Amino acid sequence: MDALLIVDAANVVGSVPDGWWRDRHGAAERLRDALVAPAADGLPGLLAPPLELVLVVEGAARGVESVAGVRVVPAAGSGDDRIVQLVADEGGGRDCLVVTADRGLRERVQALGARVTGPRAVWGPGRGGA
């Protein structure tokens, strides 16, 4: 079974002070597009392919569409709650990694058996928060 990589879009986008707040939808699309390579190649030292990559969006980013390799899942309410639900529903029995810097969310998904890493894992050196 493929590994599962879940990315907290709001948290990862928010880790880069590049004016994302002026266009939240566009920022989420840029993140989605940046995730195509990790979806195919994995995250060195963290998660090897094959993997399923899920980008969870909320708020103004809800209209972002999936692309090949990146499934975009909108959160009707809290993005954190949707991520926890995905880990519970789809993470069992396979390696599950959640990308977020949100401490509360980290604790919730770790309690379900997921591993966690920070935004730098997907942005690369020089971009992103812890």
Side-chain angles (χ1 to χ4, degrees):
M1 184 178 297
D2 293 355
L4 178 61
L5 176 60
I6 302 173
V7 179
D8 179 353
N11 188 267
V12 172
V13 164
S15 72
V16 180
D18 63 358
W20 60 264
W21 50 91
R22 291 188 292 269
D23 181 10
R24 293 169 193 262
H25 186 271
E29 285 181 327
R30 288 188 296 279
L31 173 59
R32 176 204 60 200
D33 295 346
L35 293 172
V36 171
D41 303 333
L43 295 174
L46 292 172
L47 203 59
L51 62 92
E52 177 184 4
L53 196 149
V54 179
L55 177 65
V56 176
V57 296
E58 59 186 285
R62 276 194 207 115
V64 172
E65 297 194 11
S66 298
V67 296
V70 180
R71 176 169 52 118
V72 178
V73 174
S78 160
D80 289 2
D81 290 346
R82 186 67 177 112
I83 290 167
V84 170
Q85 181 184 16
L86 283 166
V87 170
D89 293 348
E90 300 182 25
R94 61 179 168 164
D95 191 8
C96 180
L97 179 66
V98 175
V99 180
T100 186
D102 181 305
R103 288 185 186 160
L105 177 58
R106 284 173 169 250
E107 292 173 4
R108 292 173 68 191
V109 298
Q110 285 175 317
L112 295 171
R115 296 183 300 126
V116 295
T117 191
R120 283 187 201 157
V122 294
W123 279 138
R127 271 194 100 179

